[in-house]
Amino acid sequence: DERVQKKAAEPKPVKKKPHRKPTSKTKVQEKVIEKLTAERDEMKDKLLRNLAEMDNYRKRVTKEKEEYQKYVLGDFLKELLLITDNLERALKAKEGKSGDNTIVSGVEMIYRQFIELFSKNGVTEIDALNKVFDPNIHQALSKEESDQVAHPTVVEVYQKGYMYNAKLLRPTLAKVAIPPETGAEGTEE
């Protein structure tokens, strides 16, 4: 029994397989594996690029859709501004005259509703009176020289201008005071 236990306790020698030279079959298999690995890596790269392109496309479409929705009402709101202008003129005409207060209060109420509607939809009035003339948001219909200004300044508003979501909807039509020309050149008009 002792001999059996000793033999069992002794480690068995590991038989080494003789080193074989790669056969042509093994070389072909390695080449196939390399080729398939390269194709897999290429396909993975293409997949990642396509996923990135799709994500960019989705973001671009979402942004374009938001921009469209933001400005789609522009032409409609321009038409409403013409109505508002006429209401303002009617309100100015009633000043100093006695008349039916019911009609005047009704027109005032409609005017306030229009202003609230515009405000809710991102339309804001351009504050132009006594401000420096800005050709990006003001349109000069007339001008006059004045010693009272150092820079071209809006001194009278003929028609109010409006912005729509930080974009010009309609410029302010205005009279602009300009500083007098100085120097020996004289004035040419």
Side-chain angles (χ1 to χ4, degrees), residues 66-78 80-81 84 112-125 162-169:
E66 287 171 358
E67 285 292 313
Y68 174 76
Q69 289 173 344
K70 196 173 181 181
Y71 297 109
V72 72
L73 291 176
D75 291 334
F76 172 69
L77 292 172
K78 274 185 185 180
L80 285 178
L81 288 174
T84 304
R112 282 192 304 273
Q113 288 174 329
F114 269 120
I115 297 304
E116 288 174 18
L117 174 71
F118 291 140
S119 180
K120 286 179 190 176
N121 286 285
V123 177
T124 55
E125 181 182 330
Y162 292 88
M163 301 294 286
Y164 176 46
N165 293 324
K167 180 180 172 187
L168 182 66
L169 183 60

Side-chain angles (χ1 to χ4, degrees), residues 58-164:
R58 189 178 324 109
K59 288 177 185 176
R60 187 176 65 244
V61 166
T62 301
K63 183 180 177 184
E64 288 172 358
K65 182 179 173 185
E66 287 171 358
E67 285 292 313
Y68 174 76
Q69 289 173 344
K70 196 173 181 181
Y71 297 109
V72 72
L73 291 176
D75 291 334
F76 172 69
L77 292 172
K78 274 185 185 180
E79 296 296 321
L80 285 178
L81 288 174
L82 295 174
I83 297 169
T84 304
D85 292 338
N86 289 331
L87 284 172
E88 279 185 336
R89 288 184 191 102
L91 289 171
K92 285 181 182 178
K94 68 98 183 173
E95 293 174 5
K97 297 180 181 177
S98 62
D100 188 6
N101 285 338
T102 310
I103 294 173
V104 172
S105 64
V107 171
E108 287 172 342
M109 183 175 65
I110 293 169
Y111 177 74
R112 282 192 304 273
Q113 288 174 329
F114 269 120
I115 297 304
E116 288 174 18
L117 174 71
F118 291 140
S119 180
K120 286 179 190 176
N121 286 285
V123 177
T124 55
E125 181 182 330
I126 297 171
D127 184 21
L129 191 60
N130 298 320
K131 303 290 186 213
V132 174
F133 178 76
D134 180 355
N136 295 313
I137 58 173
H138 303 135
Q139 183 175 345
L141 292 184
S142 63
K143 65 180 181 175
E144 66 180 21
E145 286 188 4
S146 173
D147 294 333
Q148 305 297 318
V149 295
H151 302 285
T153 304
V154 175
V155 291
E156 186 177 344
V157 174
Y158 297 127
Q159 186 179 55
K160 294 178 182 179
Y162 292 88
M163 301 294 286
Y164 176 46

Side-chain angles (χ1 to χ4, degrees), residues 14-26:
V14 178
K15 292 183 181 178
K16 293 184 181 178
K17 293 182 180 178
H19 181 59
R20 289 190 231 167
K21 291 184 181 178
T23 63
S24 62
K25 186 177 180 183
T26 308

